Amino acid sequence: MTCSMIPTSNNFKLLFCSFPDGFGNFTYFMDMYEDESNNATVTEFPKVIGLGQKMYFGFRVESGDSELVVFPDVCKATTSSSFDSTPLHLIIEDA
């Protein structure tokens, strides 16, 4: 499997993965929303979030496989794009 991170105009990154031997491709998307209705996408970053303020995210995957789903297990905020960067602030842990 080969995966590539593709930056987008709204500071999110798309993860594009391809498989050998004709297994197919899939692309993950993650959006941040202004409220729980998920109607208004956050478009300006950085987004200031206060302590205790709720955050709203949407995840989806595009693929030829209709059975493929996204399950976010860990989500964290860091000061860099490195997964192991510190300090970190957990948003989702062991979901």
Side-chain angles (χ1 to χ4, degrees):
M1 176 171 71
T2 303
C3 292
S4 302
M5 293 297 281
I6 303 168
T8 66
S9 60
N10 61 3
N11 290 337
F12 281 109
K13 294 185 173 101
L14 302 179
L15 179 64
F16 178 79
C17 297
S18 60
F19 294 88
D21 301 325
F23 279 70
N25 297 317
F26 59 90
T27 304
Y28 287 109
F29 295 89
M30 180 178 125
D31 291 309
M32 185 175 188
Y33 296 95
E34 295 289 349
D35 60 34
E36 61 199 34
S37 70
N38 289 2
N39 290 326
T41 305
V42 175
T43 57
E44 294 186 29
F45 295 92
K47 172 76 173 166
V48 176
I49 304 293
L51 289 175
Q53 183 179 351
K54 290 186 177 185
M55 299 169 65
Y56 303 93
F57 295 96
F59 304 91
R60 74 181 195 280
V61 61
E62 288 183 0
S63 168
D65 182 352
S66 63
E67 300 295 315
L68 195 61
V69 296
V70 177
F71 183 78
D73 187 47
V74 175
C75 182
K76 56 187 174 178
T78 64
T79 57
S80 82
S81 60
S82 170
F83 185 81
D84 296 318
S85 177
T86 57
L88 63 91
H89 304 280
L90 289 172
I91 298 168
I92 299 172
E93 181 180 28
D94 300 324

